[in-house]
Amino acid sequence: MQALEVKSLLEAKLPNTQVEVEGEGCNFQLNLISDELAALSPVKRQQQIYAHLNPWIADGSIHAVSMKFFSRADWATRS
C-alpha cells in the first residue's frame, strides 16, 4: 500500500479531516488535522482511524501505524 492510498482512503472516509502520511510499504506515520477528531479522547480518535484501516491491517497491507492528532489551529501554528 502506498502513502497516497492511505491519505485518499482516510480523507474520503473522514470529511473535514486533512491527512498527512509518511512512510511506505506497510509502515505509516499519520498526522491527522481535524477539529472534530482533536476534540475526542485519545482512544476514540484511534478507534475512528483503525475502523477504516482494519481491513488492510488484517490482510497485511498495513503492518504498523503511528498517529498524531492536531486541531486546525495547532497544525497552523506548529513549527
Side-chain angles (χ1 to χ4, degrees):
M1 180 161 256
Q2 299 297 316
L4 187 56
E5 292 175 280
V6 175
K7 177 181 175 65
S8 296
L9 168 82
L10 290 175
E11 286 183 343
K13 299 285 186 178
L14 298 164
N16 302 316
T17 300
Q18 177 185 342
V19 181
E20 301 296 329
V21 182
E22 295 178 21
E24 58 185 43
C26 58
N27 299 307
F28 298 98
Q29 301 82 42
L30 308 177
N31 289 321
L32 298 121
I33 302 98
S34 166
D35 291 335
E36 292 87 359
L37 288 174
L40 298 175
S41 72
V43 171
K44 294 280 187 196
R45 293 178 197 163
Q46 288 188 356
Q47 287 173 336
Q48 293 238 342
I49 304 308
Y50 281 124
H52 301 299
L53 297 180
N54 275 339
W56 289 273
I57 293 169
D59 75 8
S61 297
I62 296 175
H63 174 71
V65 178
S66 63
M67 300 175 224
K68 292 184 181 177
F69 295 86
F70 299 89
S71 68
R72 294 198 177 277
D74 288 343
W75 183 255
T77 60
R78 74 180 188 90
S79 46

